[in-house]
Amino acid sequence: MTTGPKLRLGKTLVPGLLAVGLFGVMALITLNTAFEPMTQAAGAGFPDDVSITAELGYALFGFDSLQEIGGTEPFLAAVLLVAIALDAALDASLVLAKREEEGEPVAALSSTGEASSSETGPEPAVTDGGADGGTVETGGGNR
C-alpha cells in the first residue's frame, strides 16, 4: 500500500528545475519581443513585391547590403524561438522513446529470440574475390 507521493531531492530534481528555468526564459523572451505586423496589408512596411523569406535569410546571415528593407530582426527572433522549441521537443521525444527492460536499455532492432546469432557468433563472410566463375587468382604482377 502506498502512503502517497514523495518528493525526491538530489540529482532527480535537477532536470525538472532546468525545464522550469528554460520555460521561464522562453516566456520572458516571448513577452518582451515586439511581434509587430510586417506586411503592408497589416499596416507595416513590407511591400507585396518583396520576399519576407529572402529578407529573413539576409538578416540571418548578416547580408545587410542585400536587404531591400530593414527591420526583420524581431520576426527573425520569433522564427529562431520556434526552431529552438521544435528542437527541444524532438530531443524530448527521443529520450521518451528509449525502451528499457529490467533497467537495461534495449536497442531498437535487436533480436532476443532463441535463434539469435549472438550466441554462436557472426558467420564468416564468403567472397570469391570478384573473379568470374568463383575462382580466386593469387599472385601479383603484370601479365
Side-chain angles (χ1 to χ4, degrees):
M1 178 176 197
T2 59
T3 59
K6 294 182 181 179
L7 178 64
R8 289 191 275 172
L9 300 175
K11 289 183 182 178
T12 58
L13 192 61
V14 173
L17 290 176
L18 288 175
V20 169
L22 179 64
F23 177 77
V25 167
M26 292 181 74
L28 283 174
I29 291 172
T30 304
L31 292 175
N32 290 327
T33 302
F35 295 108
E36 300 169 2
M38 299 192 75
T39 60
Q40 270 189 342
F46 258 85
D48 294 333
D49 60 338
V50 175
S51 171
I52 294 175
T53 308
E55 295 292 312
L56 281 176
Y58 296 146
L60 180 65
F61 292 112
F63 297 140
D64 296 332
S65 60
L66 297 176
Q67 286 185 332
E68 294 181 30
I69 329 174
T72 57
E73 284 79 13
F75 192 57
L76 181 62
V79 169
L80 290 176
L81 260 176
V82 169
I84 290 171
L86 289 174
D87 183 44
L90 178 65
D91 293 344
S93 69
L94 291 175
V95 168
L96 291 174
K98 288 184 181 178
R99 289 188 327 152
E100 290 185 7
E101 289 179 6
E102 299 175 3
E104 295 293 323
V106 177
L109 299 175
S110 69
S111 59
T112 58
E114 292 179 16
S116 176
S117 65
S118 63
E119 296 170 2
T120 61
E123 294 183 19
V126 178
T127 63
D128 62 356
D132 291 336
T135 59
V136 178
E137 296 180 15
T138 59
N142 295 333
R143 295 181 185 203

